[in-house]
Amino acid sequence: KTISPNGSKLDEDEKQRILILNPDFVTLRSDLLEQEKVTPRSKIIALFLKFTVLMFLNIKLGGGDEDHESSWGIECGSVAFWVVHIIMIAFLVASAWAAQTYLINRHEIKEIVNYDYVE
């Protein structure tokens, strides 16, 4: 079943409406095939930035002993300690949600243009 970005399933009428709005079906399909030939640099940069943000927050949080104290003065178990952890968790959840939304929308486009998957 094909699912729209808002989570509802698309019926055949909706698919046809999308194709009517974009009558250049061949161009849409060929553009998609061209995009799939290479790894997009933007996706690699996004993953690197996510990793960097989490590593930065962990390093600034410190290790808890005298040799690895927080450069922000955060003590283990303090309110600031838990706030930073909640920020990291929220960042991970938001990143996962953004990736899921992107993948669902991408799959939707592939379904509309009858994309041939490699088996």
Side-chain angles (χ1 to χ4, degrees), residues 2-3 11 14 23 25 33-35 37 51 56 60 67-68 72 75 79 91-92 99-100 106 113 115 118:
T2 306
I3 300 174
D11 59 14
E14 287 180 283
F25 175 81
L33 291 171
E34 282 298 315
Q35 291 171 8
K37 286 183 180 179
F51 175 77
F56 173 78
K60 288 298 185 180
D67 294 335
H68 302 96
W72 287 345
E75 293 183 22
V79 172
F91 181 75
L92 282 171
Q100 174 197 8
R106 188 80 172 175
V113 298
Y115 183 81
V118 176

Side-chain angles (χ1 to χ4, degrees), residues 73-89:
I74 297 173
E75 293 183 22
C76 182
S78 67
V79 172
F81 175 85
W82 290 110
V83 167
V84 171
H85 274 82
I86 290 170
I87 290 170
M88 287 190 287
I89 291 169

Side-chain angles (χ1 to χ4, degrees), residues 46-114:
L47 284 173
F48 177 75
L49 288 175
K50 290 172 189 176
F51 175 77
T52 303
V53 166
L54 291 174
M55 288 305 296
F56 173 78
L57 289 173
N58 271 308
I59 290 169
K60 288 298 185 180
L61 198 54
D65 59 4
E66 287 113 31
D67 294 335
H68 302 96
E69 290 182 359
S70 171
S71 60
W72 287 345
I74 297 173
E75 293 183 22
C76 182
S78 67
V79 172
F81 175 85
W82 290 110
V83 167
V84 171
H85 274 82
I86 290 170
I87 290 170
M88 287 190 287
I89 291 169
F91 181 75
L92 282 171
V93 169
S95 297
W97 177 80
Q100 174 197 8
T101 303
Y102 171 80
L103 290 173
I104 288 173
N105 290 337
R106 188 80 172 175
H107 177 73
E108 182 71 25
I109 291 170
K110 288 179 179 181
E111 286 289 314
I112 290 170
V113 298
N114 296 323

Side-chain angles (χ1 to χ4, degrees), residues 6-18:
N6 64 9
S8 63
K9 294 181 180 173
L10 291 179
D11 59 14
E12 291 303 317
D13 292 336
E14 287 180 283
K15 287 181 184 179
Q16 286 299 324
R17 194 179 86 238
I18 290 170

